[in-house]
């Protein structure tokens, strides 16, 4: 498989020969105001420009929207994504919203798995603030949902991809993540690792210590850090994480630069 980092949570995953565009935030640098009630490392979001022409991102087979927060599916994506591209949503409710934006082929992920071009996509649970009372109140104040999902990719033909790939999504390291890894045994995991906070002091996604705990628990896994250097409420940069990797000897932690592709050829995680 190949993981191509674009910007923030936006990436292209090529798995068993099928190309998926993940979490399209396509707006210009600083197009959206900074996140309220929290730390701000930049005057707006996104915190950088796209490293490639936006139209070049559309040479994919499908789109996966792990949830509909603006840093995962923004106004620019609504306007610029080809309306005929298949889009996978985390729930029927979010699929209905995406259909209301005139997208023609919107499908719903499930825990049991949905098949697409020989790839089985299984929806996984996230902890993106649902169990934190302060975060839940903050989401309510800004009219946003705490629901998000991850996805495990599995090739129907193991000869094409021997290892499963787990896109953990917007989550901290929690029991749901641990259970997913224990049950489905992915060899490669992508984690959103910018340590974003909302409100201040309440972490929405993994930071460096979440990554360290995950890798200590599952040392054989290759981990890709994504959702870096993209949002104004981040507390961990890619340079921070690279320094942390060196200090802690995390040789299987990959921190790609914008428009960098990492290719993996490996077997499944041993039981």
């Amino acid at each position: 498989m190949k993981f191509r980092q674009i910007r923030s949570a936006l990436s292209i995953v090529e798995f068993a020969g099928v190309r998926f565009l993940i979490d399209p935030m396509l707006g210009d640098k600083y197009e959206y105001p900074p996140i309220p009630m929290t730390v701000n490392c930049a005057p707006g979001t996104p915190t950088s420009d796209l490293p490639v022409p936006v139209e070049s991102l559309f040479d994919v087979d499908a789109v996966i929207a792990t949830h509909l927060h603006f840093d995962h599916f923004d106004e620019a994506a609504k306007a610029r994504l080809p309306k005929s591209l298949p889009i996978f949503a985390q729930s029927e409710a979010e699929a209905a919203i995406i259909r209301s934006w005139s997208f023609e082929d919107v499908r719903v992920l499930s825990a049991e798995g949905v098949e697409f071009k020989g790839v089985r996509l299984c929806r996984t649970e996230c902890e993106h603030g649902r169990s934190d009372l302060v975060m839940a109140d903050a989401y309510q104040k800004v009219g946003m949902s705490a629901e998000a999902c991850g996805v495990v990719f599995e090739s129907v033909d193991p000869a094409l991809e021997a290892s499963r790939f787990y896109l953990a999504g917007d989550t901290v390291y929690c029991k749901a993540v641990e259970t997913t890894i224990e049950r489905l045994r992915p060899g490669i995991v992508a984690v959103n690792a910018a340590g974003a906070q909302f409100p201040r002091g309440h972490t929405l996604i993994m930071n460096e210590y979440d990554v360290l705990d995950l890798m200590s628990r599952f040392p054989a896994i290759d981990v890709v850090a994504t959702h870096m250097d993209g949002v104004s409420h981040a507390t961990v940069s890619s340079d921070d994480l690279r320094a942390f990797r060196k200090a802690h000897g995390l040789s299987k932690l990959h921190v790609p630069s914008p428009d960098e592709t990492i290719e993996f050829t490996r077997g499944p995680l041993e039981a």
Side-chain angles (χ1 to χ4, degrees), residues 1-2 13-20 59-62 116-119 153 155 157 159-161:
M1 68 154 286
K2 297 178 182 178
V13 170
E14 184 173 333
F15 189 87
V18 186
R19 291 165 55 82
F20 297 91
D59 180 22
V60 294
D61 297 292
F116 179 76
K117 293 183 178 289
V119 177
F153 297 64
S155 177
D157 181 358
L160 295 177
E161 296 286 354

Side-chain angles (χ1 to χ4, degrees), residues 231-252:
V231 293
S232 65
H233 56 319
T235 63
V236 182
S237 71
S238 59
D239 285 343
D240 293 336
L241 196 57
R242 291 185 188 105
F244 189 84
R245 173 181 63 187
K246 183 177 180 180
H248 291 269
L250 301 175
S251 61
K252 297 180 79 65

